[in-house]
Amino acid sequence: MKVAIVGSGIAGLAASIRLCHKGYDVSVYEANDYPGGKLHAFNLGEYRFDGGPSLFTMPQYVNELFSLADKNPSNYFDFEQVKDSCTYLWEDKTRISAKSDPESFADEVYNVLRFPKSELLEYFDHIQNIYNHSASIFLEKSLHKTKTWLSKETLLALLKIRQYDLLKSMHRANVIRLGEPHLVQLFDRFATYNGSHPHKAPGILNVIPWLEHGFGTFFPKGGMEQIPKSLYQLAKEMGVKFHFNSRVDEIIVKNKKAIGLMVGGKEIIANKVVSNMDVHYTYRKLMPEIKAPEKTLNQERSSSALVFYWGIKKEFKSLGLHNILFSERYKEEFDSMFDGRDIIDDPTIYINISSKLEKSDAPEGCENWFVMINAPHHENQDWNEISKRTKKAVIKKLNRMLNADIEPLIEQEKIWTPEGIQEDTLSYQGALYGNASNSQFSAFLRHPNFSSSIDNLFFCGGSVHPGGGIPLALLSGKITSEII
Ligand SMILES: Cc1cc2nc3c(=O)[nH]c(=O)nc-3n(C[C@H](O)[C@H](O)[C@H](O)COP(=O)(O)OP(=O)(O)OC[C@H]3O[C@@H](n4cnc5c(N)ncnc54)[C@H](O)[C@@H]3O)c2cc1C
């Protein structure tokens, strides 16, 4: 049985390994000349940068792929647990060094904000409960198979649904459960992990920080690029065939059955087709003649990102691996992103500095700054103009909050805009996580991992169930291969 996979993003790699393990003859067709899609890396002078994701959680989903193939993961891929999950800075000089484990985090929050430790630990218990009751349904199974809904586990979870804050927004739930404004902002920011608005995304998504604080945050030796590289290595050893610089032009459909692909004018025949391409473009570009599920495709897209990669010729002892410098106008920042499709002049700044742990990522005495601003998805904005004015605003804020003069320290620079993300990863509107989760029905409105109208056609990746981000994309590869 031949399987043809469109795209070698992290989900396409996971699906290729799982299907190969099940005995399929798997070929992957990738438009770029490298595997990994959004997970890629590059050098600017002597600086190394991971281009896309910088935060690694749930490494067990990567390890699982090596174990499946009876290989020792550490022979391919090494990572360490990071104790300090993130340094949070506010304009009023509040500074929280968030530890990964809830106990130490609650100690730090008490020391800085005098917020009772027991209340924060209660909050963590609450989100852990949400995770324990909902993960196996919402993340690990298809929501579009009757079997999922008839299980005892699902029925028990549904009975508890009111306790999951499904009908409140993340923000509302955080105000009620935490109240303290810095903490509310800190936990609201996890809405950005799936590209949503904390005042609109359902409170059940407050489960997201549990992935970071319950399971920990990790750093792959050699950088994030090692995740797809090691999986590519494993897949090749198992016998998966990769074709790079091979953009798929069409999914061939005959009599409501997918029977193969058109790649560079050549017909590739397959028994099953899996698309790891953004589901929107899969319908619009690869099967324009097929009736598309318009309601699903027309959902609001998730946010995108404006990234400044800066080689900085100085070390900043006050910063860690992950750093957030908060906006003072947080709600307005999200309103502007989702309603105005713009970036405000006081944006929240995320800085990742992998050279804090991987010294060779920057020359001595220097740091590689990945500076990310949450941005609206691409809708023909003038990104040249937005990048210029946002860079000015970011530098002004950094100078103020870090008591520094940043501009003369930037000796290397590259900028990635939402339009660039769209072009380089063929993600519709440059959305990082497919559709936004700005309603309580979002989870149900994501595209399933299979087509209900075309036989032998399947989907995996951040734009379909269960959603975006590395752990969920890996799970989508798992769900898809199980359905096949
Ligand atoms: C700037 C940025 C920061 C992020 N930060 C994080 C983070 O810190 N942590 C985290 O977990 N996640 C993060 N994410 C999200 C994460 O990168 C994605 O959710 C995940 O990588 C998506 O993987 P995927 O398999 O769905 O697809 P993609 O990575 O989008 O890969 C799809 C692949 O398909 C190929 N392709 C598309 N169309 C065709 C075609 N017609 N023919 C052949 N090939 C095709 C593309 O070239 C691409 O290689 C971030 C993303 C970005 C861009």
Side-chain angles (χ1 to χ4, degrees):
M1 291 281 263
K2 285 183 193 294
V3 177
I5 301 184
V6 185
S8 67
I10 193 79
L13 288 169
S16 77
I17 291 167
R18 288 180 180 278
L19 291 167
C20 186
H21 175 70
K22 284 176 197 279
Y24 287 94
D25 176 0
V26 184
S27 297
V28 179
Y29 297 86
E30 168 56 56
N32 290 328
D33 59 3
Y34 59 86
K38 295 187 180 79
L39 262 161
H40 68 287
F42 58 88
N43 291 316
L44 291 177
E46 290 179 72
Y47 295 86
R48 190 198 71 86
F49 291 91
D50 282 307
S54 53
L55 175 71
F56 182 35
T57 53
M58 312 294 268
Q60 62 269 37
Y61 295 140
V62 179
N63 279 352
E64 208 175 283
L65 293 165
F66 291 101
S67 308
L68 194 70
D70 240 350
K71 305 275 187 187
N72 181 350
S74 57
N75 289 344
Y76 293 77
F77 174 59
D78 203 1
F79 56 88
E80 60 181 294
Q81 182 150 13
V82 182
K83 282 198 185 115
D84 295 311
S85 83
C86 189
T87 303
Y88 294 99
L89 302 168
W90 283 265
E91 294 270 5
D92 66 4
K93 305 224 177 322
T94 301
R95 175 194 172 93
I96 294 181
S97 266
K99 309 289 171 206
S100 283
D101 80 286
E103 278 279 334
S104 321
F105 183 22
D107 280 335
E108 164 84 357
V109 168
Y110 177 73
N111 290 338
V112 177
L113 300 173
R114 296 284 157 214
F115 184 83
K117 188 175 169 184
S118 58
E119 283 185 35
L120 190 49
L121 290 177
E122 236 171 68
Y123 181 83
F124 278 121
D125 277 351
H126 165 67
I127 62 174
Q128 180 181 13
N129 265 331
I130 303 184
Y131 178 84
N132 290 344
H133 289 123
S134 62
S136 70
I137 304 159
F138 285 99
L139 304 184
E140 291 166 11
K141 292 192 184 117
S142 170
L143 286 181
H144 308 88
K145 293 276 178 193
T146 326
K147 207 168 90 186
T148 304
W149 296 102
L150 293 181
S151 75
K152 192 173 146 205
E153 207 181 6
T154 308
L155 295 173
L156 285 176
L158 288 177
L159 285 176
K160 295 187 187 264
I161 208 137
R162 279 175 68 86
Q163 297 165 22
Y164 301 160
D165 297 329
L166 188 65
L167 302 177
K168 298 183 191 86
S169 69
M170 287 178 81
H171 174 75
R172 189 75 203 121
N174 286 333
V175 168
I176 293 169
R177 292 183 187 277
L178 297 164
E180 203 289 327
H182 298 88
L183 272 187
V184 170
Q185 189 169 18
L186 191 157
F187 283 99
D188 276 4
R189 78 128 182 145
F190 286 94
T192 64
Y193 282 32
N194 67 9
S196 305
H197 189 320
H199 290 250
K200 294 181 183 171
I204 190 170
L205 290 178
N206 282 325
V207 68
I208 298 171
W210 186 250
L211 304 190
E212 199 162 315
H213 292 283
F215 294 93
T217 58
F218 300 83
F219 181 78
K221 295 237 163 80
M224 297 294 285
E225 63 173 306
Q226 295 307 323
I227 305 172
K229 274 190 175 163
S230 62
L231 292 180
Y232 168 60
Q233 181 63 29
L234 172 69
K236 262 196 329 187
E237 283 176 19
M238 290 172 75
V240 176
K241 293 171 218 103
F242 285 89
H243 306 266
F244 294 105
N245 297 310
S246 301
R247 182 180 289 222
V248 175
D249 301 311
E250 185 187 337
I251 293 177
I252 309 170
V253 178
K254 281 215 174 111
N255 302 327
K256 297 195 169 175
K257 254 191 195 160
I259 59 156
L261 306 175
M262 283 301 289
V263 187
K266 228 175 111 190
E267 210 174 80
I268 315 281
I269 296 301
N271 303 87
K272 313 271 176 197
V273 170
V274 179
S275 178
N276 174 217
M277 183 186 200
D278 187 303
V279 68
H280 197 284
Y281 276 156
T282 302
Y283 280 99
R284 302 286 190 237
K285 289 185 187 282
L286 304 191
M287 321 185 281
E289 310 295 326
I290 301 290
K291 191 172 175 315
E294 295 301 334
K295 195 169 169 207
T296 305
L297 299 194
N298 293 332
Q299 293 297 305
E300 182 178 31
R301 299 293 284 178
S302 81
S303 58
S304 184
L306 175 60
V307 190
F308 301 95
Y309 306 91
W310 286 339
I312 295 279
K313 50 184 183 188
K314 189 181 161 181
E315 282 180 300
F316 282 74
K317 304 275 181 234
S318 59
L319 297 177
L321 175 64
H322 303 284
N323 311 273
I324 298 271
L325 289 80
F326 275 118
S327 168
E328 288 204 290
R329 289 145 51 203
Y330 209 40
K331 179 167 184 297
E332 196 191 321
E333 181 177 6
F334 287 96
D335 288 344
S336 161
M337 202 162 29
F338 286 100
D339 303 331
R341 306 278 187 260
D342 203 354
I343 299 177
I344 60 168
D345 61 7
D346 176 24
T348 296
I349 304 169
Y350 166 72
I351 309 176
N352 171 260
I353 310 172
S354 70
S355 63
K356 291 279 182 196
L357 297 187
E358 196 70 64
K359 290 288 167 211
S360 61
D361 282 355
E364 205 172 334
C366 305
E367 290 179 340
N368 63 339
W369 283 22
F370 166 103
V371 180
M372 185 170 118
I373 309 302
N374 293 311
H377 53 251
H378 174 53
E379 259 188 22
N380 294 323
Q381 298 94 327
D382 178 352
W383 287 107
N384 196 17
E385 184 273 323
I386 298 179
S387 304
K388 274 192 190 141
R389 87 167 123 85
T390 304
K391 180 177 167 183
K392 261 193 202 154
V394 166
I395 287 179
K396 203 167 146 198
K397 189 172 173 83
L398 290 174
N399 287 350
R400 191 169 60 236
M401 292 182 74
L402 299 179
N403 195 17
D405 185 8
I406 297 294
E407 189 134 36
L409 300 176
I410 303 173
E411 61 171 0
Q412 294 287 349
E413 180 180 70
K414 184 180 159 180
I415 301 175
W416 208 20
T417 65
E419 189 176 7
I421 294 173
Q422 171 176 268
E423 278 165 17
D424 297 339
T425 67
L426 298 168
S427 303
Y428 177 55
Q429 296 186 321
L432 302 195
Y433 306 97
N435 291 342
S437 295
N438 284 341
S439 96
Q440 60 261 54
F441 304 112
S442 307
F444 305 97
L445 291 170
R446 280 187 184 273
H447 196 287
N449 303 87
F450 58 93
S451 165
S452 44
S453 58
I454 299 165
D455 280 349
N456 298 334
L457 176 60
F458 303 88
F459 302 87
C460 65
S463 66
V464 298
H465 178 71
I470 299 169
L472 269 53
L474 287 167
L475 283 173
S476 88
K478 185 175 183 178
I479 297 171
T480 305
S481 65
E482 280 167 4
I483 294 174
I484 291 177

